[in-house]
Structures are given as C-alpha cells and as structure tokens.
Amino acid sequence: MGSLPTLHFAIFPFLSQGHIIPLLHLSRLLRLRSAAVTIFTTAANSPPICAALADTDVSVVELPFPQHIQGLPPGVENTQNLPSNSFFIPFAKSTKLMQKSFEKALQTLNPPVSCIISDAFLGFTLHSAHKFNVPRLVFFGVGAFPSTMYQVLGREKPHAAAASLDEPFPIPGFPGLELTMNDFEPPYNEVAPSGPYVEFMEEQLASMAASHGMIVNTFYEMERRYVDYWDSKIGPKIYCAGPLCAVAPPRTAEEKLYVRFLDEKLAEGRPVLYIAFGTQAEVSPEQLREIALGLERSGVSFLWVLKSETVEFCPNFEERVRERGIVVREWVDQLEVLKHEGVCGFLSHCGWNSALEGITAGVPILALPFMAEQHLNARFLAEELGVGLRIMPTGGSVRGHVVAEEVERVVRELMCGERGAEARRKMAECGGAARGAMKEGGSSMGTLDLLIDEISGRRSRP
C-alpha cells in the first residue's frame, strides 16, 4: 500500500500586516509537520513575506493586485498604506477581483491543493475551494471572546432595552458578564446595524459559516468558555492554534538604540514600560499629548514606539524625559522587546496580535483601546483574565478622551502598585499556559495535529 498523498495547504492572508504575520507562523508549523505550504499574496507584499520565511521552503506565489479601483489610491496593496480607515471597504472589496488569478495559480500546485486556509475577509475563496473540491478553513485574526460577543449581540440583541451607550446589560448565556453598547464598534452597537461595512461583513460571515472550520489565534485554556459556546451554538468549529507568535523564530541580534536603552535601564534597576499602538490606530494629536504628559508625570522609564515623525503635539517632550524615556520611530521587533527582562509593562491599543505577544512574554498590559474589537479585548484582558489594568476616559464611558492625570495614575499603579503586582502574577500564570499550549503535547499543537489528520482523512478517501 503506497503512502498517502502529501498534503498541500494554500494559505491566503488578507493584505494587512496584522493578518499576514500570524499566518506566516502557522505556515511554519504546517511545514514542520511535513505538509507542503504555499502562501498567496501580491508583489508589494511579497518581499517581507519571503524574508520572514527565508529559512523555510514555504512557497510564495504573487498574484496581481486589481488596478484602477474607484475610491482607492493607486499603488496601495496593504492596509497600512491606506490614507485613512475610510478607504478600507473599497480596498477589501477589491480583493474579490483576485479570484480568477488565485484559481489559475491553484491549478499549478504540485502536489495538488488539499486545503485552502484563507483570511475571514477573503470570503470568495470559499467558491474556489468548492471548485477544487477541497475544504476551506477560515483564519480569524481576533479571539473567541469578541467573536462570540458580536454574534450574541447580533442574534439576541440584549442591548435593545439599554437607555444609553454606557448602560450595562447582561449577555445571554454568560451569567455575570455585562457589557455596554460602547464596548462594540459602531454601527454594530445599533439594534439594526446597516451600511457598507455591515454588508461586507455579512458576506464574509456567510462564507465563514459554510466553511469547514475556523482557525483562531488563541489557546483553549484561556477562552474555553467562549470557544465551547461558539462550537455549540454558532459554528463553524473553532480550532484553537495559538498563540502563534510563540513559535516566531528569534531574529539575528542587532545593535539597536532601543535595545541599548533597555539594557541600560535593566542595569540601573529601573523597570521599563513599553508603549505601542499598532499600525492602524488613528490617534489624535490631542490624545497623544495627554498620553505624553501622563508618562512624563508618572516618573517611570518608558520606550514609546510612535508613528508620528515628530512629537509637536507636546513640545520639548523628548528633551524633558531624555534621562528615563525614549521615543522610537523605526520598526521595532515587538515580541523581542516584550521578552526583554527590563520590560515590566505594556501600554497597548489591545489589538489581538499585540495582546497575544504581551501574554506570551508574560508582560502585564495597560489597556487603551481605540477601534475595532479592541474595547472588547481590553475588557477581556483587564476584567475577565485580570492580566492588566485599564486607562479610562473621563465621564465614566469606555470611549472618549483620556486625560494625563488618568494616564499618570494607572501607569504608576501598573508599574509600582498592588493592583499592578496582582496583574503581573496573573499574567505570569497566563503566559506560562500560553507557552505550554504551543509546546509538543500542548493543547494548540494537539489541535493542529487533529486538523491535519482530518484533512488527511479527506485526501485518503477515494
């Protein structure tokens, strides 16, 4: 009896850094399990992908990005290069025009494609999977908690009776859990949401529901309650395969200014707060000024990664804090920074990738969400898990302007206070569980093996 055909996974990430990076880690894991892996992307996104996978034999196929799309600036092939978030829908919709070139490329794969793993935003790949008679797995780049909460909100509408955006209401099926409409991104916090983004997401969710399953970058022990609910009441089945950042290969050590800074502060016995808000969040100069003033007044040492070319929102800020804080405008290896022994806190927008990197490194999180599902992530981290604290806006709402006094107070509490010490203890436990899930014999690795066996079973049937 001959050996089974080699499995071949076709992986198609959405064209956004936060969506691409975890799927590169997943590609490594699948390749280590003797599966062939091909990643599909565009010419502009290909170089960093190829560089990240240079030590593997994962294949990268370039597809042409649609040209002359109405409402979309020419030459943009990644969401991080969009002028603003208002361009997202035209960009996301344009990816549907890649279906023909994707399927043409699938025909050339050797061995033939066994399974398509595509981002949830690329719903058209379900039709491609049907054409090639292979299963489609959806990769969803957020955790089980926000995914489940949005589904419950849309189906059960527990917010219908709430008198205001900030009035707590109970979540059906989850005793003791209360949320507010402001925990959800507009327009989804409306009773009958509508608009272009809602229409786009409904299309993607319909494709997801008809898929074989959903790979989620999380681990079962952390989100058991929400994974079980999803599997029993929503579907398709969740495969917990994370945190995928735990298998990121170490980078070649480079002499960087920020690394020297961290080393110096460690030698001085001064713990450092790391601050980064991702690539997509649009933070106003006024809000950045309050954050800067709060950091200055807190007295803690910090490393702030900032997209802005200047800090004109707070004149002379860098000069005033130069003995204990630095602002970095170059690319930073965030996971390596978080793993540095001197980093003892992470002021984050609570994007899911950043949250998982903080958890994997065991660094407690100071939550300051801005957009998308980040407010729910902040709730989950600070209140459900207790692995961090939250900076709150004025006026008692979870949304709005954060003032310097609040930043100063909570930064000090995280770095020096009792609540920070408790968050650090809980994060150490959670981080250990996260790393354990990604070891051989861990829950996420076992789930990945189960998934591979399922796909192999499909291939072995006549």
Side-chain angles (χ1 to χ4, degrees), residues 96-413:
K96 294 201 298 186
L97 300 175
M98 301 172 72
Q99 181 175 346
K100 286 186 178 180
S101 60
F102 175 57
E103 292 172 0
K104 184 177 180 181
L106 286 176
Q107 292 175 342
T108 68
L109 296 188
N110 185 27
V113 61
S114 312
C115 176
I116 294 172
I117 299 175
S118 81
D119 193 280
F121 286 168
L122 303 177
F124 68 84
T125 58
L126 177 66
H127 305 295
S128 304
H130 287 164
K131 287 182 182 180
F132 286 81
N133 194 30
V134 297
R136 181 222 188 199
L137 289 162
V138 179
F139 179 79
F140 217 48
V142 300
F145 174 71
S147 301
T148 302
M149 293 302 105
Y150 270 101
Q151 286 289 324
V152 171
L153 193 79
R155 295 178 178 205
E156 305 289 338
K157 303 196 181 299
H159 57 316
S164 73
L165 292 173
D166 293 302
E167 179 182 324
F169 53 83
I171 302 298
F174 297 91
L177 177 60
E178 291 187 333
L179 296 172
T180 71
M181 282 189 273
N182 263 334
D183 287 309
F184 297 86
E185 190 75 357
Y188 281 101
N189 56 6
E190 300 171 6
V191 175
S194 61
Y197 188 79
V198 174
E199 293 169 5
F200 171 76
M201 285 306 300
E202 285 177 347
E203 185 179 342
Q204 311 318 309
L205 290 171
S207 294
M208 182 177 74
S211 297
H212 178 79
M214 185 165 73
I215 298 175
V216 178
N217 190 9
T218 190
F219 59 105
Y220 181 69
E221 293 85 348
M222 183 172 70
E223 297 199 87
R224 180 192 312 264
R225 186 185 186 190
Y226 311 104
V227 171
D228 290 346
Y229 184 95
W230 180 283
D231 285 348
S232 64
K233 298 187 180 298
I234 302 173
K237 175 182 170 60
I238 282 180
Y239 296 86
C240 299
L244 291 165
C245 61
V247 298
R251 293 182 175 270
T252 304
E254 296 181 45
E255 184 62 23
K256 296 283 190 180
L257 174 63
Y258 64 83
V259 175
R260 290 203 305 271
F261 172 81
L262 292 174
D263 289 342
E264 289 169 2
K265 294 305 168 191
L266 179 62
E268 295 170 6
R270 296 179 62 94
V272 174
L273 176 70
Y274 171 65
I275 306 143
F277 300 133
T279 58
Q280 300 294 121
E282 297 176 354
V283 189
S284 70
E286 294 78 16
Q287 185 60 88
L288 290 172
R289 179 179 181 276
E290 294 296 314
I291 295 169
L293 290 175
L295 289 171
E296 181 179 352
R297 295 169 186 170
S298 72
V300 306
S301 296
F302 64 86
L303 189 165
W304 189 358
V305 178
L306 196 61
K307 289 193 297 183
S308 304
E309 290 300 316
T310 68
V311 287
E312 59 188 18
F313 53 82
C314 191
N316 303 318
F317 169 69
E318 289 178 273
E319 178 68 20
R320 294 196 303 270
V321 300
R322 69 181 187 278
E323 296 301 322
R324 58 180 177 84
I326 59 170
V327 176
V328 179
R329 297 176 183 83
E330 60 184 306
W331 180 85
V332 166
D333 188 333
Q334 179 164 283
L335 187 57
E336 290 305 309
V337 167
L338 289 167
K339 288 179 178 179
H340 194 282
E341 190 179 349
V343 175
C344 297
F346 180 16
L347 173 49
S348 171
H349 63 308
C350 296
W352 192 236
N353 286 338
S354 288
L356 288 175
E357 289 181 348
I359 289 169
T360 300
V363 177
I365 292 173
L366 198 54
L368 183 56
F370 295 105
M371 57 179 284
E373 90 292 353
Q374 293 167 10
H375 287 82
L376 285 175
N377 291 342
R379 284 268 194 193
F380 181 66
L381 294 165
E383 298 175 17
E384 295 292 300
L385 296 181
V387 297
L389 305 179
R390 187 159 182 184
I391 297 176
M392 297 298 290
T394 56
S397 175
V398 296
R399 289 181 186 261
H401 192 64
V402 170
V403 297
E405 291 77 11
E406 172 73 355
V407 175
E408 175 189 357
R409 182 186 69 81
V410 187
V411 164
R412 284 180 175 173
E413 185 66 27

Side-chain angles (χ1 to χ4, degrees), residues 19-41:
H19 294 242
I20 292 171
I21 292 170
L23 280 173
L24 299 187
H25 300 327
L26 179 62
S27 300
R28 286 179 173 276
L29 287 175
L30 292 171
R31 190 66 196 98
L32 287 171
R33 277 156 167 70
S34 301
V37 179
T38 299
I39 292 182
F40 292 84
T41 190

